[in-house]
Amino acid sequence: MIHIPLVLGAISATLALIASILAMLEKDLLKAIILSGVESVFFALLLLIFLAPDLLIAYIAIGLGVNSVIFIFALRRGERYEE
């Protein structure tokens, strides 16, 4: 018997891990910020699958919104490419 939410949760967690690893290895900091946002989307999907709407709303607001805006604002003050 296959439990669809568990399979979707495992896929979402795996894709979030892949996005995290790609973000760490990326030399272009803007792409790393975007990959971090993709990671947040997969974690938000994981919270949705496991029926945690209160955490989902907070994670979307902070993980996707505030984090990305702060990182992009900080990137404007520095260099885009890592040496």
Side-chain angles (χ1 to χ4, degrees):
M1 177 183 250
I2 298 174
H3 295 286
I4 301 298
L6 293 178
V7 172
L8 290 176
I11 291 171
S12 180
T14 303
L15 291 174
L17 178 65
I18 290 170
S20 299
I21 292 170
L22 290 175
M24 286 189 301
L25 297 176
E26 185 61 48
K27 297 291 183 189
D28 183 1
L29 296 179
L30 183 61
K31 288 181 184 178
I33 293 170
I34 292 170
L35 284 168
S36 176
V38 170
E39 171 198 3
S40 295
V41 168
F42 287 127
F43 279 133
L45 182 63
L46 189 64
L47 290 171
L48 178 68
I49 290 168
F50 290 132
L51 301 175
D54 51 344
L55 296 174
L56 174 67
I57 292 170
Y59 195 79
I60 287 175
I62 295 169
L64 268 173
V66 176
N67 250 0
S68 298
V69 169
I70 290 173
F71 285 151
I72 290 174
F73 181 73
L75 181 62
R76 286 181 42 204
R77 303 279 183 188
E79 294 183 17
R80 181 173 170 179
Y81 295 98
E82 188 178 30
E83 296 178 7

PDB file of all heavy atoms in Angstrom, residues 12 39-65:
ATOM      1  N   SER A  12       9.540  15.995  -2.212  1.00  0.00           N
ATOM      2  CA  SER A  12       9.721  17.409  -1.902  1.00  0.00           C
ATOM      3  C   SER A  12      10.980  17.640  -1.065  1.00  0.00           C
ATOM      4  O   SER A  12      11.746  18.568  -1.321  1.00  0.00           O
ATOM      5  CB  SER A  12       8.494  17.947  -1.178  1.00  0.00           C
ATOM      6  OG  SER A  12       8.648  19.290  -0.871  1.00  0.00           O
ATOM      7  N   GLU A  39      14.361  26.243  -2.790  1.00  0.00           N
ATOM      8  CA  GLU A  39      14.399  25.358  -1.618  1.00  0.00           C
ATOM      9  C   GLU A  39      13.240  25.679  -0.669  1.00  0.00           C
ATOM     10  O   GLU A  39      12.576  24.773  -0.144  1.00  0.00           O
ATOM     11  CB  GLU A  39      15.728  25.525  -0.897  1.00  0.00           C
ATOM     12  CG  GLU A  39      15.791  24.833   0.437  1.00  0.00           C
ATOM     13  CD  GLU A  39      16.917  25.362   1.298  1.00  0.00           C
ATOM     14  OE1 GLU A  39      17.620  26.292   0.900  1.00  0.00           O
ATOM     15  OE2 GLU A  39      17.071  24.820   2.408  1.00  0.00           O
ATOM     16  N   SER A  40      12.985  26.958  -0.464  1.00  0.00           N
ATOM     17  CA  SER A  40      11.879  27.367   0.410  1.00  0.00           C
ATOM     18  C   SER A  40      10.534  26.919  -0.144  1.00  0.00           C
ATOM     19  O   SER A  40       9.641  26.558   0.617  1.00  0.00           O
ATOM     20  CB  SER A  40      11.893  28.881   0.594  1.00  0.00           C
ATOM     21  OG  SER A  40      13.050  29.283   1.272  1.00  0.00           O
ATOM     22  N   VAL A  41      10.382  26.953  -1.459  1.00  0.00           N
ATOM     23  CA  VAL A  41       9.136  26.491  -2.074  1.00  0.00           C
ATOM     24  C   VAL A  41       8.927  25.007  -1.788  1.00  0.00           C
ATOM     25  O   VAL A  41       7.818  24.582  -1.444  1.00  0.00           O
ATOM     26  CB  VAL A  41       9.143  26.760  -3.595  1.00  0.00           C
ATOM     27  CG1 VAL A  41       8.001  26.035  -4.292  1.00  0.00           C
ATOM     28  CG2 VAL A  41       9.072  28.244  -3.868  1.00  0.00           C
ATOM     29  N   PHE A  42       9.979  24.208  -1.913  1.00  0.00           N
ATOM     30  CA  PHE A  42       9.843  22.774  -1.661  1.00  0.00           C
ATOM     31  C   PHE A  42       9.558  22.480  -0.181  1.00  0.00           C
ATOM     32  O   PHE A  42       8.783  21.576   0.140  1.00  0.00           O
ATOM     33  CB  PHE A  42      11.072  22.007  -2.139  1.00  0.00           C
ATOM     34  CG  PHE A  42      11.149  21.903  -3.635  1.00  0.00           C
ATOM     35  CD1 PHE A  42      12.286  22.302  -4.303  1.00  0.00           C
ATOM     36  CD2 PHE A  42      10.098  21.412  -4.378  1.00  0.00           C
ATOM     37  CE1 PHE A  42      12.373  22.217  -5.681  1.00  0.00           C
ATOM     38  CE2 PHE A  42      10.165  21.322  -5.757  1.00  0.00           C
ATOM     39  CZ  PHE A  42      11.310  21.724  -6.407  1.00  0.00           C
ATOM     40  N   PHE A  43      10.168  23.249   0.713  1.00  0.00           N
ATOM     41  CA  PHE A  43       9.859  23.068   2.130  1.00  0.00           C
ATOM     42  C   PHE A  43       8.434  23.506   2.447  1.00  0.00           C
ATOM     43  O   PHE A  43       7.751  22.901   3.274  1.00  0.00           O
ATOM     44  CB  PHE A  43      10.860  23.795   3.017  1.00  0.00           C
ATOM     45  CG  PHE A  43      12.149  23.044   3.214  1.00  0.00           C
ATOM     46  CD1 PHE A  43      13.366  23.683   3.071  1.00  0.00           C
ATOM     47  CD2 PHE A  43      12.154  21.708   3.551  1.00  0.00           C
ATOM     48  CE1 PHE A  43      14.550  23.006   3.259  1.00  0.00           C
ATOM     49  CE2 PHE A  43      13.324  21.005   3.730  1.00  0.00           C
ATOM     50  CZ  PHE A  43      14.527  21.659   3.584  1.00  0.00           C
ATOM     51  N   ALA A  44       7.963  24.573   1.781  1.00  0.00           N
ATOM     52  CA  ALA A  44       6.581  24.999   1.958  1.00  0.00           C
ATOM     53  C   ALA A  44       5.619  23.930   1.440  1.00  0.00           C
ATOM     54  O   ALA A  44       4.579  23.657   2.059  1.00  0.00           O
ATOM     55  CB  ALA A  44       6.337  26.326   1.245  1.00  0.00           C
ATOM     56  N   LEU A  45       5.978  23.304   0.327  1.00  0.00           N
ATOM     57  CA  LEU A  45       5.168  22.202  -0.196  1.00  0.00           C
ATOM     58  C   LEU A  45       5.147  21.037   0.789  1.00  0.00           C
ATOM     59  O   LEU A  45       4.106  20.396   0.990  1.00  0.00           O
ATOM     60  CB  LEU A  45       5.716  21.753  -1.552  1.00  0.00           C
ATOM     61  CG  LEU A  45       4.973  20.637  -2.268  1.00  0.00           C
ATOM     62  CD1 LEU A  45       3.549  21.074  -2.601  1.00  0.00           C
ATOM     63  CD2 LEU A  45       5.712  20.231  -3.519  1.00  0.00           C
ATOM     64  N   LEU A  46       6.264  20.786   1.421  1.00  0.00           N
ATOM     65  CA  LEU A  46       6.339  19.736   2.435  1.00  0.00           C
ATOM     66  C   LEU A  46       5.417  20.044   3.616  1.00  0.00           C
ATOM     67  O   LEU A  46       4.716  19.157   4.118  1.00  0.00           O
ATOM     68  CB  LEU A  46       7.785  19.579   2.905  1.00  0.00           C
ATOM     69  CG  LEU A  46       8.118  18.402   3.806  1.00  0.00           C
ATOM     70  CD1 LEU A  46       7.901  17.100   3.058  1.00  0.00           C
ATOM     71  CD2 LEU A  46       9.541  18.498   4.274  1.00  0.00           C
ATOM     72  N   LEU A  47       5.397  21.302   4.046  1.00  0.00           N
ATOM     73  CA  LEU A  47       4.485  21.688   5.130  1.00  0.00           C
ATOM     74  C   LEU A  47       3.024  21.571   4.700  1.00  0.00           C
ATOM     75  O   LEU A  47       2.166  21.209   5.510  1.00  0.00           O
ATOM     76  CB  LEU A  47       4.793  23.112   5.586  1.00  0.00           C
ATOM     77  CG  LEU A  47       6.113  23.307   6.333  1.00  0.00           C
ATOM     78  CD1 LEU A  47       6.390  24.782   6.531  1.00  0.00           C
ATOM     79  CD2 LEU A  47       6.083  22.583   7.657  1.00  0.00           C
ATOM     80  N   LEU A  48       2.756  21.866   3.443  1.00  0.00           N
ATOM     81  CA  LEU A  48       1.397  21.726   2.925  1.00  0.00           C
ATOM     82  C   LEU A  48       0.971  20.262   2.899  1.00  0.00           C
ATOM     83  O   LEU A  48      -0.155  19.927   3.277  1.00  0.00           O
ATOM     84  CB  LEU A  48       1.310  22.327   1.524  1.00  0.00           C
ATOM     85  CG  LEU A  48      -0.034  22.211   0.816  1.00  0.00           C
ATOM     86  CD1 LEU A  48      -1.065  23.086   1.519  1.00  0.00           C
ATOM     87  CD2 LEU A  48       0.099  22.596  -0.634  1.00  0.00           C
ATOM     88  N   ILE A  49       1.858  19.396   2.491  1.00  0.00           N
ATOM     89  CA  ILE A  49       1.549  17.964   2.415  1.00  0.00           C
ATOM     90  C   ILE A  49       1.260  17.401   3.803  1.00  0.00           C
ATOM     91  O   ILE A  49       0.352  16.589   3.975  1.00  0.00           O
ATOM     92  CB  ILE A  49       2.715  17.206   1.740  1.00  0.00           C
ATOM     93  CG1 ILE A  49       2.776  17.563   0.257  1.00  0.00           C
ATOM     94  CG2 ILE A  49       2.564  15.700   1.911  1.00  0.00           C
ATOM     95  CD1 ILE A  49       4.047  17.100  -0.420  1.00  0.00           C
ATOM     96  N   PHE A  50       2.000  17.856   4.796  1.00  0.00           N
ATOM     97  CA  PHE A  50       1.810  17.346   6.149  1.00  0.00           C
ATOM     98  C   PHE A  50       0.806  18.149   6.956  1.00  0.00           C
ATOM     99  O   PHE A  50       0.756  18.053   8.180  1.00  0.00           O
ATOM    100  CB  PHE A  50       3.150  17.254   6.875  1.00  0.00           C
ATOM    101  CG  PHE A  50       4.030  16.167   6.317  1.00  0.00           C
ATOM    102  CD1 PHE A  50       5.352  16.422   6.018  1.00  0.00           C
ATOM    103  CD2 PHE A  50       3.539  14.903   6.075  1.00  0.00           C
ATOM    104  CE1 PHE A  50       6.163  15.427   5.499  1.00  0.00           C
ATOM    105  CE2 PHE A  50       4.334  13.901   5.556  1.00  0.00           C
ATOM    106  CZ  PHE A  50       5.646  14.165   5.266  1.00  0.00           C
ATOM    107  N   LEU A  51       0.009  18.966   6.253  1.00  0.00           N
ATOM    108  CA  LEU A  51      -1.144  19.671   6.833  1.00  0.00           C
ATOM    109  C   LEU A  51      -0.759  20.537   8.033  1.00  0.00           C
ATOM    110  O   LEU A  51      -1.322  20.420   9.120  1.00  0.00           O
ATOM    111  CB  LEU A  51      -2.240  18.682   7.222  1.00  0.00           C
ATOM    112  CG  LEU A  51      -2.804  17.820   6.092  1.00  0.00           C
ATOM    113  CD1 LEU A  51      -3.780  16.813   6.633  1.00  0.00           C
ATOM    114  CD2 LEU A  51      -3.409  18.670   5.009  1.00  0.00           C
ATOM    115  N   ALA A  52       0.193  21.430   7.807  1.00  0.00           N
ATOM    116  CA  ALA A  52       0.597  22.391   8.830  1.00  0.00           C
ATOM    117  C   ALA A  52       0.405  23.800   8.265  1.00  0.00           C
ATOM    118  O   ALA A  52       1.375  24.483   7.922  1.00  0.00           O
ATOM    119  CB  ALA A  52       2.041  22.161   9.229  1.00  0.00           C
ATOM    120  N   PRO A  53      -0.857  24.258   8.138  1.00  0.00           N
ATOM    121  CA  PRO A  53      -1.099  25.536   7.464  1.00  0.00           C
ATOM    122  C   PRO A  53      -0.550  26.747   8.207  1.00  0.00           C
ATOM    123  O   PRO A  53      -0.143  27.724   7.583  1.00  0.00           O
ATOM    124  CB  PRO A  53      -2.622  25.595   7.356  1.00  0.00           C
ATOM    125  CG  PRO A  53      -3.115  24.709   8.438  1.00  0.00           C
ATOM    126  CD  PRO A  53      -2.077  23.626   8.592  1.00  0.00           C
ATOM    127  N   ASP A  54      -0.513  26.701   9.534  1.00  0.00           N
ATOM    128  CA  ASP A  54       0.026  27.838  10.279  1.00  0.00           C
ATOM    129  C   ASP A  54       1.520  28.008  10.033  1.00  0.00           C
ATOM    130  O   ASP A  54       2.016  29.116   9.822  1.00  0.00           O
ATOM    131  CB  ASP A  54      -0.273  27.685  11.768  1.00  0.00           C
ATOM    132  CG  ASP A  54       0.139  26.327  12.308  1.00  0.00           C
ATOM    133  OD1 ASP A  54       0.371  25.403  11.504  1.00  0.00           O
ATOM    134  OD2 ASP A  54       0.221  26.175  13.543  1.00  0.00           O
ATOM    135  N   LEU A  55       2.248  26.916  10.029  1.00  0.00           N
ATOM    136  CA  LEU A  55       3.672  26.971   9.721  1.00  0.00           C
ATOM    137  C   LEU A  55       3.910  27.323   8.261  1.00  0.00           C
ATOM    138  O   LEU A  55       4.872  28.014   7.931  1.00  0.00           O
ATOM    139  CB  LEU A  55       4.340  25.636  10.046  1.00  0.00           C
ATOM    140  CG  LEU A  55       4.348  25.227  11.515  1.00  0.00           C
ATOM    141  CD1 LEU A  55       4.901  23.824  11.666  1.00  0.00           C
ATOM    142  CD2 LEU A  55       5.140  26.207  12.330  1.00  0.00           C
ATOM    143  N   LEU A  56       3.037  26.855   7.396  1.00  0.00           N
ATOM    144  CA  LEU A  56       3.150  27.134   5.970  1.00  0.00           C
ATOM    145  C   LEU A  56       3.062  28.626   5.699  1.00  0.00           C
ATOM    146  O   LEU A  56       3.886  29.181   4.970  1.00  0.00           O
ATOM    147  CB  LEU A  56       2.059  26.392   5.203  1.00  0.00           C
ATOM    148  CG  LEU A  56       1.936  26.688   3.718  1.00  0.00           C
ATOM    149  CD1 LEU A  56       3.144  26.181   2.979  1.00  0.00           C
ATOM    150  CD2 LEU A  56       0.674  26.063   3.167  1.00  0.00           C
ATOM    151  N   ILE A  57       2.104  29.298   6.295  1.00  0.00           N
ATOM    152  CA  ILE A  57       1.935  30.737   6.081  1.00  0.00           C
ATOM    153  C   ILE A  57       3.153  31.499   6.598  1.00  0.00           C
ATOM    154  O   ILE A  57       3.673  32.390   5.922  1.00  0.00           O
ATOM    155  CB  ILE A  57       0.642  31.221   6.759  1.00  0.00           C
ATOM    156  CG1 ILE A  57      -0.564  30.631   6.034  1.00  0.00           C
ATOM    157  CG2 ILE A  57       0.564  32.736   6.772  1.00  0.00           C
ATOM    158  CD1 ILE A  57      -1.870  30.834   6.758  1.00  0.00           C
ATOM    159  N   ALA A  58       3.633  31.136   7.774  1.00  0.00           N
ATOM    160  CA  ALA A  58       4.812  31.807   8.325  1.00  0.00           C
ATOM    161  C   ALA A  58       6.044  31.528   7.476  1.00  0.00           C
ATOM    162  O   ALA A  58       6.854  32.428   7.229  1.00  0.00           O
ATOM    163  CB  ALA A  58       5.042  31.354   9.763  1.00  0.00           C
ATOM    164  N   TYR A  59       6.212  30.305   6.995  1.00  0.00           N
ATOM    165  CA  TYR A  59       7.392  29.956   6.220  1.00  0.00           C
ATOM    166  C   TYR A  59       7.396  30.647   4.868  1.00  0.00           C
ATOM    167  O   TYR A  59       8.447  31.073   4.384  1.00  0.00           O
ATOM    168  CB  TYR A  59       7.491  28.440   6.046  1.00  0.00           C
ATOM    169  CG  TYR A  59       8.850  28.005   5.587  1.00  0.00           C
ATOM    170  CD1 TYR A  59       9.894  27.918   6.485  1.00  0.00           C
ATOM    171  CD2 TYR A  59       9.113  27.722   4.255  1.00  0.00           C
ATOM    172  CE1 TYR A  59      11.159  27.550   6.081  1.00  0.00           C
ATOM    173  CE2 TYR A  59      10.367  27.357   3.835  1.00  0.00           C
ATOM    174  CZ  TYR A  59      11.383  27.267   4.757  1.00  0.00           C
ATOM    175  OH  TYR A  59      12.633  26.919   4.343  1.00  0.00           O
ATOM    176  N   ILE A  60       6.222  30.769   4.250  1.00  0.00           N
ATOM    177  CA  ILE A  60       6.159  31.463   2.970  1.00  0.00           C
ATOM    178  C   ILE A  60       6.513  32.936   3.160  1.00  0.00           C
ATOM    179  O   ILE A  60       7.277  33.512   2.386  1.00  0.00           O
ATOM    180  CB  ILE A  60       4.771  31.297   2.321  1.00  0.00           C
ATOM    181  CG1 ILE A  60       4.618  29.875   1.795  1.00  0.00           C
ATOM    182  CG2 ILE A  60       4.574  32.286   1.183  1.00  0.00           C
ATOM    183  CD1 ILE A  60       3.258  29.559   1.252  1.00  0.00           C
ATOM    184  N   ALA A  61       5.962  33.548   4.198  1.00  0.00           N
ATOM    185  CA  ALA A  61       6.227  34.971   4.432  1.00  0.00           C
ATOM    186  C   ALA A  61       7.694  35.227   4.746  1.00  0.00           C
ATOM    187  O   ALA A  61       8.296  36.171   4.225  1.00  0.00           O
ATOM    188  CB  ALA A  61       5.351  35.470   5.573  1.00  0.00           C
ATOM    189  N   ILE A  62       8.287  34.402   5.574  1.00  0.00           N
ATOM    190  CA  ILE A  62       9.671  34.634   6.002  1.00  0.00           C
ATOM    191  C   ILE A  62      10.667  33.996   5.039  1.00  0.00           C
ATOM    192  O   ILE A  62      11.599  34.643   4.571  1.00  0.00           O
ATOM    193  CB  ILE A  62       9.881  34.117   7.435  1.00  0.00           C
ATOM    194  CG1 ILE A  62       9.027  34.921   8.397  1.00  0.00           C
ATOM    195  CG2 ILE A  62      11.346  34.191   7.823  1.00  0.00           C
ATOM    196  CD1 ILE A  62       8.941  34.355   9.773  1.00  0.00           C
ATOM    197  N   GLY A  63      10.480  32.705   4.751  1.00  0.00           N
ATOM    198  CA  GLY A  63      11.450  31.972   3.939  1.00  0.00           C
ATOM    199  C   GLY A  63      11.523  32.453   2.510  1.00  0.00           C
ATOM    200  O   GLY A  63      12.605  32.555   1.928  1.00  0.00           O
ATOM    201  N   LEU A  64      10.388  32.734   1.918  1.00  0.00           N
ATOM    202  CA  LEU A  64      10.381  33.188   0.531  1.00  0.00           C
ATOM    203  C   LEU A  64      10.468  34.698   0.413  1.00  0.00           C
ATOM    204  O   LEU A  64      11.262  35.223  -0.351  1.00  0.00           O
ATOM    205  CB  LEU A  64       9.092  32.721  -0.154  1.00  0.00           C
ATOM    206  CG  LEU A  64       9.167  31.394  -0.866  1.00  0.00           C
ATOM    207  CD1 LEU A  64       7.802  30.975  -1.344  1.00  0.00           C
ATOM    208  CD2 LEU A  64      10.111  31.462  -2.019  1.00  0.00           C
ATOM    209  N   GLY A  65       9.665  35.384   1.183  1.00  0.00           N
ATOM    210  CA  GLY A  65       9.571  36.823   1.032  1.00  0.00           C
ATOM    211  C   GLY A  65      10.711  37.594   1.651  1.00  0.00           C
ATOM    212  O   GLY A  65      11.542  38.192   0.956  1.00  0.00           O
TER     213      GLY A  65
END
